[in-house]
Amino acid sequence: MTVRKISNNARIVALISFLCGTGIFVLYFLTDAFFLLFAGVGFVIIAGLVNIIYFIPILKQLLTTKDNRKSLYITCGLMLMNIPVLLVYYWFTTILLNTMRITFVNE
């Protein structure tokens, strides 16, 4: 694979990971469905493995080649930006787990 193809694929993987993780978080926030916690944990494990699989060849390309370094650094940065997002979502989820929601029904 060429450097450009690896970089583009890694950017797509990072974007999909971000969007899917955000979707699971938003659904949990809106519905408070407990099964979404398990789906989120499973997604984090799978997305983490896939991101690592794409991240390692990019690092290898950074160490071995001199061309397209800027593009590879940007790709690495995009992939690493998912980590603070994950931590913020984890923080909000722990706050939501400690919050009780009460629904009143008038009949």
Side-chain angles (χ1 to χ4, degrees), residues 41-92:
V41 169
F43 173 76
V44 165
I45 292 169
I46 292 170
L49 290 174
V50 171
N51 279 309
I52 288 172
I53 289 170
Y54 275 94
F55 191 73
I56 290 173
I58 291 173
L59 282 179
K60 196 183 291 187
Q61 287 289 331
L62 272 171
L63 295 174
T64 58
T65 63
K66 300 280 185 190
D67 52 330
N68 291 331
R69 281 187 174 240
K70 184 178 179 181
S71 174
L72 293 174
Y73 278 127
I74 291 171
T75 302
C76 286
L78 286 174
M79 294 184 82
L80 291 175
M81 281 174 42
N82 280 332
I83 295 171
V85 172
L86 168 78
L87 295 175
V88 169
Y89 289 170
Y90 174 75
W91 182 64
F92 278 126

Side-chain angles (χ1 to χ4, degrees), residues 86-106:
L86 168 78
L87 295 175
V88 169
Y89 289 170
Y90 174 75
W91 182 64
F92 278 126
T93 303
T94 55
I95 290 173
L96 288 175
L97 286 173
N98 292 326
T99 304
M100 182 183 294
R101 294 183 186 183
I102 299 173
T103 303
F104 295 103
V105 177
N106 290 332

